[in-house]
Amino acid sequence: MENQDDFRRDKHIRYFKHMLNILPKGYTDMDTHRVSLGMFALSGLELLGVLEENVSEKNRKAWIEWIYAQQRIPSSTNPSEQDDVLYGFAGGPFSGLPFQTSGDAQLNLGCECGPHTNVNDASHLTMTYTALLMLVMLGDDLSRVAKDPILKSLKKLQQPNGCFIPCITDPQADLRFMYCAAAISYILNDWSGFDRPAALRFIRDCQSYENGFARTPHQEAHGGTTYCAVATLGLLGGEAVLDQRTMTRNVQEGEDDAAFQERLSRAGYLHKEGTRQWCLSRQTTGFQGRTGKPTDTCYSFWIGASLDILGSMDLVNNELNRGFLMTTQHDVGGFGKWAKAYPDILHSYMGIAGLALMGEPGIRPLNPLLNISKRMEERLYTETVFWRSA
């Protein structure tokens, strides 16, 4: 008989395998996000160490072809600058475009954009980010990824305030899409589509009086967007991870005020220690996403990964956090938002990812910056065209 404290690994494997093969009816209205849903299922199996044995080579190749069929690329006969904002990956074939696959005579590169293209069939930053992760997990070398068009699209999607909108039809510009743009740039090993100084200004503006990060300036700090800010700064690296609060003017080296202010502008944090404290304060048993809100499975990843990036996972009470996650496991496998809630694919993946951060036996180690296993991080560096020759 199962103990409540037992990690139900076999049931979780069956859950992710089922979700990969057929989604329940309740996910119908998420058809435009099918790429992201697939990423959660594939990555869940990868973290559990059973991806290859549960997804055959034939099916992995079929998935790769399906993902590339969602890529939006320039017209081969009449490319237009007006289409530059459309490139990347869409979330699924919801527009009714024909499915394409590689054959003897033609390589499946995706759908060409042109005068016939409806803007509602454009790429989306979140889908591009998750599509790239999926391709790496499935063993693709990314050689068919339209890197230069994607970078053109990033430039068009970055707004004057430094943030990004996800696609041409969605005016929301917040830290979620900043992170996706940063992750895409990192995976492609090319930051030419990302205005770093403008992005850093926006990130600093989103740090709230509590020292967590909000979606947009002057809003409430939130666990998910705090992760997006902290992970973006980690991906940028270098001076972006510095804390303005601890920086001082180099008087001995003759640094004047203008030079000091310019150096301050290259730091991503207004108060890094405050961010660490805000994250640690979100732990009750597991973690809550905002001050005074209920504890929720997914924040074991969002907050836990933020603390991992900040080098502070050793300050987390893992026993309490794990204990909470064991109560949100469902009898059929997967994790719910909280105890006795039905499982869903996002919280199921985030529950596994949160346990990975704590070193749960039977789960592979996780890279918190990209939200992929460390095994797949190594594959990115050694087996993809954008990194292996770098």
Side-chain angles (χ1 to χ4, degrees):
M1 183 173 179
E2 287 182 335
N3 186 298
Q4 180 177 295
D5 293 334
D6 292 337
F7 175 55
R8 300 165 189 171
R9 183 173 181 273
D10 290 342
K11 288 186 175 181
H12 297 316
I13 290 170
R14 287 197 296 271
Y15 175 83
F16 285 120
K17 186 177 180 181
H18 176 76
M19 296 296 280
L20 189 64
N21 290 328
I22 183 167
L23 289 167
K25 180 180 177 181
Y27 290 86
T28 302
D29 62 355
M30 297 189 71
D31 189 52
T32 57
H33 297 76
R34 207 188 303 177
V35 166
S36 285
L37 299 178
M39 190 281 289
F40 290 136
L42 282 173
S43 199
L45 292 172
E46 163 59 20
L47 285 177
L48 289 166
V50 295
L51 176 59
E52 284 81 6
E53 67 186 74
N54 280 276
V55 184
S56 68
E57 182 180 2
K58 177 181 177 181
N59 284 344
R60 292 198 299 274
K61 289 179 177 179
W63 265 100
I64 289 171
E65 294 304 319
W66 183 84
I67 294 166
Y68 274 117
Q70 314 318 317
Q71 186 169 215
R72 305 298 182 250
I73 60 175
S75 168
S76 58
T77 58
N78 189 29
S80 169
E81 288 186 9
Q82 291 182 341
D83 294 337
D84 283 355
V85 75
L86 305 176
Y87 306 140
F89 290 82
F94 52 87
S95 67
L97 290 173
F99 175 76
Q100 300 180 51
T101 187
S102 293
D104 293 336
Q106 184 176 0
L107 198 62
N108 171 23
L109 299 176
C111 298
E112 292 189 11
C113 298
H116 64 281
T117 305
N118 189 307
V119 292
N120 293 306
D121 191 43
S123 67
H124 188 287
L125 284 181
T126 306
M127 304 308 129
T128 301
Y129 157 60
T130 51
L132 292 173
L133 289 188
M134 288 175 74
L135 289 170
V136 173
M137 284 188 281
L138 292 163
D140 186 68
D141 68 357
L142 307 184
S143 59
R144 284 185 270 167
V145 171
K147 172 182 171 179
D148 290 339
I150 289 173
L151 296 175
K152 287 181 180 179
S153 187
L154 287 184
K155 285 183 178 180
K156 295 281 188 178
L157 294 173
Q158 190 165 20
Q159 302 299 291
N161 66 1
C163 200
F164 288 78
I165 57 174
C167 59
I168 189 59
T169 58
D170 190 341
Q172 295 184 87
D174 63 55
L175 281 176
R176 294 173 299 170
F177 309 118
M178 173 82 77
Y179 168 73
C180 291
I184 292 165
S185 300
Y186 188 90
I187 293 167
L188 299 180
N189 199 18
D190 191 327
W191 292 86
S192 62
F194 192 100
D195 184 336
R196 182 185 180 110
L200 289 172
R201 284 195 301 273
F202 185 84
I203 292 172
R204 289 194 301 269
D205 287 346
C206 289
Q207 190 161 11
S208 77
Y209 73 94
E210 293 182 285
N211 292 312
F213 290 84
R215 278 192 182 188
T216 57
H218 315 301
Q219 301 297 317
E220 183 182 14
H222 184 278
T225 46
T226 293
Y227 167 79
C228 290
V230 171
T232 296
L233 295 174
L235 290 169
L236 284 166
E239 293 174 298
V241 301
L242 297 180
D243 181 3
Q244 285 192 354
R245 194 179 182 93
T246 63
M247 297 170 69
T248 57
R249 185 173 157 189
N250 293 326
V251 178
Q252 291 182 337
E253 297 180 10
E255 184 179 44
D256 61 22
D257 188 61
F260 178 49
Q261 292 300 320
E262 195 279 328
R263 185 160 59 86
L264 279 177
S265 72
R266 301 198 295 270
Y269 291 93
L270 296 176
H271 192 353
K272 192 172 185 178
E273 181 58 32
T275 301
R276 190 189 334 270
Q277 291 298 325
W278 183 84
C279 289
L280 290 168
S281 297
R282 300 284 65 75
Q283 184 165 21
T284 53
T285 50
F287 287 90
Q288 59 185 185
R290 289 177 287 164
T291 302
K293 295 294 182 178
T295 306
D296 182 327
T297 295
C298 66
Y299 296 109
S300 288
F301 171 76
W302 298 124
I303 300 290
S306 300
L307 287 166
D308 197 7
I309 295 166
L310 291 167
S312 300
M313 270 301 287
D314 60 318
L315 300 178
V316 172
N317 188 322
N318 286 344
E319 183 179 357
L320 284 179
N321 190 23
R322 185 186 185 279
F324 169 75
L325 290 174
M326 293 303 100
T327 70
T328 68
Q329 295 182 109
H330 197 275
D331 289 340
V332 301
F335 289 75
K337 190 179 180 72
W338 38 62
K340 298 183 180 180
Y342 286 111
D344 65 79
I345 190 67
L346 183 147
H347 285 90
S348 296
Y349 173 73
M350 295 301 177
I352 298 295
L355 289 167
L357 292 169
M358 295 184 284
E360 178 73 22
I363 302 179
R364 286 177 169 148
L366 182 76
N367 174 316
L369 289 172
L370 289 174
N371 193 8
I372 56 173
S373 72
K374 290 189 176 180
R375 184 176 82 116
M376 290 301 143
E377 175 193 12
E378 183 63 22
R379 178 178 289 177
L380 171 68
Y381 296 146
T382 60
E383 299 181 24
T384 65
V385 295
F386 305 123
W387 281 94
R388 67 188 177 199
S389 60

